[in-house]
Amino acid sequence: MTLERLLGAACAVRPAAEADAVDGVPARVVARPASAQETSALLQVCSTHGLAVVVRGHGSKLAWGRPPERVDVVLETGGMAQLVEHSHGDLVATAGAGMPLTRLRHLLAGARHELVVDDLAVGRGTDAAGSTLGGAVATNLSGPRRLRSGPLRDLVIGVRLVLADGTVARAGGKVVKNVAGYDLGKLLTGSFGTLAVITEVTVRLHPEPLEVRQVLVRVPRDRLAPVLAHLVDSQLAPHALEVHTEPGVDALVSVGLGGGPGSTRHRAGRLAAELASPTLAGDAVAVVDPEHTTAREIRHVVPDAGRARSTEQEVALRPTLLTVTARLSGIPELVQVADDHGLTVTGSAGVGVLRATLPEQTPVTEVLEAVTAVRAATTRLGGSTVVLDAPPAVKASLDAASTWGPVPGLELMRRVKAQFDPGRTLAPGRFVGGL
């Protein structure tokens, strides 16, 4: 019996094409379940026959992490893309895992609600559609505005999931204050699809600010530390605090503010005046955005962080992409180390999480030297370095340890994996420690 016929009783299945390969690992079929029940039936068969399954939304972040050891089935979540519920009064929404973040934003906008998650994969994936809700949860996607509302794992209040053996389960609920049971939502967030298949997510929403402003500041490198320290300690409650640096160029610091009409403008003006102090950015300061700035534009406070790629060549580019973290006071030193090794850095200086990139054409030896140097700096500064993505030649030179870096609690994670997915059905080898 062919694999299509074996799985076809569970859900829609088609043969995999070359484009369905997962980070260079070819797949055999693509399955598209339309519900948790179909997902369950599919995984029961896969588990019984020892088939490896990799979950895909739009595929915008499918190359993040390590290549899976093998792929028999690509499980597409696009058949589960409905908005199940939007509870206006409770500021809560439930949607299928395949719901595109852009569509969810439009659906919520009528009530002036938003899921405060910035799509860092805009322009990538199938039809350049960016991230799905399930993909964002699986990779714990967060962007500039996590300073306002916390990372995505703090916004997930409930999940519906299917374990590798086909067991359907729910965790959490549909209200923010829910204390029943273990918080599986947090466990699954950032697990890269290695523990279970998320089919539905309930998230906490926030009201859209009535007014937003940005303050942009060019900061000479030797003044970056006092400027960031001033902003971190600011009582003006910024929604975003981003830093963008390129080798040999002064840093661009951007501050996003939001709130009621008038007060936001006042705070932006006050902040710009403070930053214009000779002891901070001085004459290099400061532009307060024009009045037509919208709430949606605030997520793009850093150039290129949310820019849609317009050509196939741009979409196909795979620079080396690192996630680097450090304590807040260590960000200026981390930026300097990255700059010394040719890295472009963009990220949330307000929460100590940055993305660092090297161009695709950078020689492998230079990439490895840069990763080693940045990892040493982040370790010294209380953080970590993860190689999220890289060109194939670079990935071939990295093992799981050098991709993810030291992972506290790895043995505990191995035991969790053994409980959730003892047969290693889900994305084997993709996550930390080769899980």
Side-chain angles (χ1 to χ4, degrees), residues 322-326 331 334 338 343 345-346 352-356 374-375 378 383-386:
L322 314 179
T323 293
V324 293
T325 66
I331 293 298
L334 175 56
L343 289 147
V345 174
T346 299
V353 180
L354 310 176
R355 313 285 185 192
V374 170
R375 179 162 285 147
T378 55
S384 64
T385 295
V386 172

Side-chain angles (χ1 to χ4, degrees), residues 318-380:
R318 292 183 64 179
T320 298
L321 171 63
L322 314 179
T323 293
V324 293
T325 66
R327 60 176 179 264
L328 298 188
S329 60
I331 293 298
E333 181 180 343
L334 175 56
V335 166
Q336 186 61 58
V337 172
D339 183 86
D340 292 342
H341 290 82
L343 289 147
T344 295
V345 174
T346 299
S348 300
V351 295
V353 180
L354 310 176
R355 313 285 185 192
T357 60
L358 280 167
E360 187 175 33
Q361 63 272 22
T362 305
V364 174
T365 53
E366 291 184 21
V367 174
L368 299 181
E369 288 174 4
V371 170
T372 300
V374 170
R375 179 162 285 147
T378 55
T379 301
R380 185 172 65 253

Side-chain angles (χ1 to χ4, degrees), residues 80-88 90-99 103-104 107-108 113 115 133-134 155-161 170-176 198-205:
M80 299 177 283
Q82 70 282 16
L83 179 62
V84 179
E85 182 178 1
H86 178 193
S87 179
H88 293 208
D90 293 329
L91 281 169
V92 165
T94 300
M99 167 69 75
R103 181 163 175 256
L104 180 60
L107 293 173
L108 300 175
H113 293 168
L115 173 62
L133 179 58
L155 303 178
V156 175
I157 61 174
V159 291
R160 191 179 196 189
L161 58 114
R170 282 188 182 276
K174 296 182 179 180
V175 295
V176 174
I198 300 170
T199 60
E200 191 176 283
V201 185
T202 301
V203 290
R204 180 161 59 99
L205 308 176

Side-chain angles (χ1 to χ4, degrees), residues 13 118 407:
V13 179
D118 303 291
V407 180

